[in-house]
């Protein structure tokens, strides 16, 4: 076992970026308790249309512009350090569904100007951009989706493929001129569930210079044993596999946590994912219940507990530089390439 003080000191020193929080009500308490410096927050509903997305982004803009706000919008990479120096959490405004674009690519420029810097092409199902990971026919990218990737590259919006179908992932990686991201996805070779990615997708993302944000979301770490709730050792199996495929430069953290004052407030989203996407959730929920805490690892189920990941990596034999890269350094490097700003 490593020295707990050494792991804690490294976690405090590192710049910690969580690649995905699916919901945030503006509270920073849990994030700060977990040593998180910046986070990609899903700022619009998972199936938001244009009006809903605009309203929800307007709420975040209002929140960030208040006197003594605990948030700073990240528009370029230099904003990360500015946020840390000001004692704020860096807000990467992101989407998990491009439904708000509909078939109007001119909206990409609008939302980029509002501050959205990460867009997931699809959320499980088919939209105008292409097929999600739960679509049975795996139809790939649409013609519009291909044009969207090119325009996102030009504007400096990160292409997120986490909930995207297998064929569409491979096509997006092949045509993108910038690194692409899996902000929250694990290895299908380790846990064979619909949301995880085959080795070919992981390699394709890395080949663009992109990142795989490994997640502590329980269903994606689960070995299928109903008597075995996923734990950090299962998460480490995914990291071992991903690093074995593409190396430490292409792996990052993407918890898929909520960051809210009251966990009960996300109960409706937890239930929605079970009701709407039973193929992805039902067996897991039957084994461990459908509470938000049990949706995650036994030792790491809320943002406050993220330092447990750093300690586990120490115990697993990772070098300090590798841990710092995983916690945020890789994101700083790769987002600079996508957004067109320098890390400094």
């Amino acid at each position: 076992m490593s020295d707990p003080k050494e792991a804690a000191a490294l976690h405090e020193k590192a710049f910690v970026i969580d690649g995905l929080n699916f919901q945030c009500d503006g509270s920073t308490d849990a994030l700060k308790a977990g040593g998180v410096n910046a986070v990609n927050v899903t700022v619009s509903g998972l199936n938001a249309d244009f009006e809903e997305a605009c309203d929800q982004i307007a709420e975040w803009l209002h929140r960030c512009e208040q006197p003594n706000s605990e948030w700073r919008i990240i528009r370029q990479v230099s904003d990360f350090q500015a946020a840390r120096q000001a004692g704020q959490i860096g807000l990467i405004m992101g989407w998990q569904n491009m439904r708000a674009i509909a078939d109007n690519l001119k909206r990409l420029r609008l939302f980029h100007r509002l501050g959205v810097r990460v867009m997931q092409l699809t959320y499980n199902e088919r939209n105008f951009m292409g097929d999600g990971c739960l679509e049975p026919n795996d139809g790939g990218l649409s013609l519009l989706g291909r044009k969207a990737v090119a325009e996102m590259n030009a504007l400096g919006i990160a292409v997120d493929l986490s909930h995207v179908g297998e064929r569409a992932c491979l096509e997006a990686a092949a045509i993108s001129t910038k690194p692409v991201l899996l902000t929250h996805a694990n290895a299908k070779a380790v846990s064979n569930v619909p949301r995880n990615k085959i080795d070919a997708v992981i390699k394709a993302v890395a080949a663009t210079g992109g990142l795989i944000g490994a997640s502590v979301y329980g269903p994606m770490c689960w070995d299928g044993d109903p008597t075995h709730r996923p734990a950090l050792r299962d998460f480490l199996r995914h990291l071992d596999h991903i690093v074995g495929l593409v190396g430490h430069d292409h792996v990052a953290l993407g918890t898929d946590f909520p960051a809210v004052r009251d966990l009960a407030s996300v109960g409706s989203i937890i239930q929605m994912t079970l009701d709407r996407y039973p193929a992805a959730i039902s067996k897991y929920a039957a084994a461990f219940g459908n509470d938000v805490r049990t949706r995650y690892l036994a030792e790491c189920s809320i943002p406050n507990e993220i330092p447990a990941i750093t300690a586990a990596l120490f115990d697993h034999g990772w070098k300090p530089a590798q841990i710092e890269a995983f916690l945020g350094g890789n994101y700083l490097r790769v987002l600079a390439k996508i957004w067109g700003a320098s890390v400094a």
Side-chain angles (χ1 to χ4, degrees):
M1 296 289 289
S2 63
D3 182 352
K5 292 183 179 179
E6 186 179 4
L10 178 63
H11 193 83
E12 184 176 358
K13 172 191 172 188
F15 196 98
V16 180
I17 299 175
D18 189 346
L20 196 285
N21 273 193
F22 76 83
Q23 177 81 354
C24 181
D25 60 5
S27 172
T28 62
D29 292 346
L31 295 168
K32 288 184 175 180
V36 175
N37 301 109
V39 58
N40 170 27
V41 174
T42 303
V43 294
S44 301
L46 297 174
N47 289 289
D49 61 13
F50 179 75
E51 183 177 2
E52 183 182 357
C54 288
D55 284 344
Q56 291 169 337
I57 290 170
E59 184 66 28
W60 271 105
L61 293 174
H62 176 75
R63 179 178 289 134
C64 293
E65 290 170 3
Q66 294 306 297
N68 302 316
S69 174
E70 295 185 291
W71 294 91
R72 179 182 293 247
I73 296 174
I74 303 298
R75 298 177 180 272
Q76 56 191 8
V77 172
S78 59
D79 292 332
F80 283 115
Q81 290 298 340
R84 186 177 199 176
Q85 291 168 4
Q88 297 170 304
I89 299 291
L91 170 67
I92 306 168
M93 290 207 288
W95 281 354
Q96 289 201 60
N97 195 339
M98 289 180 67
R99 184 168 179 261
I101 297 298
D103 62 349
N104 185 352
L105 294 185
K106 292 178 182 177
R107 292 177 178 177
L108 286 169
R109 186 174 299 277
L110 166 67
F111 285 112
H112 179 267
R113 290 195 177 185
L114 290 175
V116 180
R117 290 294 182 269
V118 179
M119 292 184 184
Q120 185 172 264
L121 297 183
T122 68
Y123 183 75
N124 292 336
E125 299 164 321
R126 180 178 297 136
N127 63 16
F128 278 108
M129 303 301 155
D131 274 12
C133 63
L134 298 184
E135 288 290 343
N137 294 328
D138 193 26
L141 288 180
S142 66
L143 177 60
L144 187 75
R146 291 173 174 270
K147 292 178 180 178
V149 170
E151 182 67 7
M152 292 163 73
N153 287 164
L155 289 170
I157 299 172
V159 175
D160 186 358
L161 304 175
S162 300
H163 283 256
V164 177
E166 182 179 301
R167 181 178 167 191
C169 284
L170 293 170
E171 290 173 350
I175 64 175
S176 181
T177 59
K178 299 281 185 71
V180 299
L181 306 175
L182 294 168
T183 61
H184 56 302
N186 291 347
K188 198 162 191 174
V190 179
S191 296
N192 186 15
V193 296
R195 274 275 290 103
N196 284 341
K197 301 304 181 187
I198 62 171
D199 289 358
V201 169
I202 292 171
K203 290 179 179 179
V205 169
T208 70
L211 296 175
I212 296 87
S215 175
V216 294
Y217 187 58
M220 294 197 297
C221 294
W222 190 34
D223 62 6
D225 182 350
T227 68
H228 170 214
R229 181 180 165 192
L232 278 169
R233 63 181 179 274
D234 301 292
F235 176 68
L236 292 174
R237 289 172 60 225
H238 284 274
L239 285 180
D240 285 344
H241 186 82
I242 295 167
V243 169
L245 286 176
V246 298
H248 284 276
D249 287 345
H250 299 287
V251 68
L253 176 66
T255 65
D256 207 1
F257 277 147
V260 293
R261 292 178 180 84
D262 180 6
L263 287 173
S265 67
V266 299
S268 61
I269 299 177
I270 296 298
Q271 188 61 42
M272 179 278 290
T273 58
L274 175 59
D275 293 342
R276 186 161 178 166
Y277 309 114
I281 304 297
S282 59
K283 290 182 180 179
Y284 185 90
F288 308 111
N290 200 40
D291 180 77
V292 63
R293 290 291 293 262
T294 59
R295 281 281 185 100
Y296 297 92
L297 303 183
E299 313 97 321
C300 188
S301 62
I302 52 176
N304 312 52
E305 296 169 344
I306 288 175
I309 298 174
T310 300
L313 293 175
F314 255 105
D315 289 341
H316 202 55
W318 282 35
K319 298 176 181 178
Q322 294 169 338
I323 297 173
E324 286 195 73
F326 168 79
L327 290 174
N330 285 340
Y331 264 122
L332 293 174
R333 183 189 75 252
V334 172
L335 290 174
K337 295 179 181 178
I338 298 170
W339 295 343
S342 95
V343 174

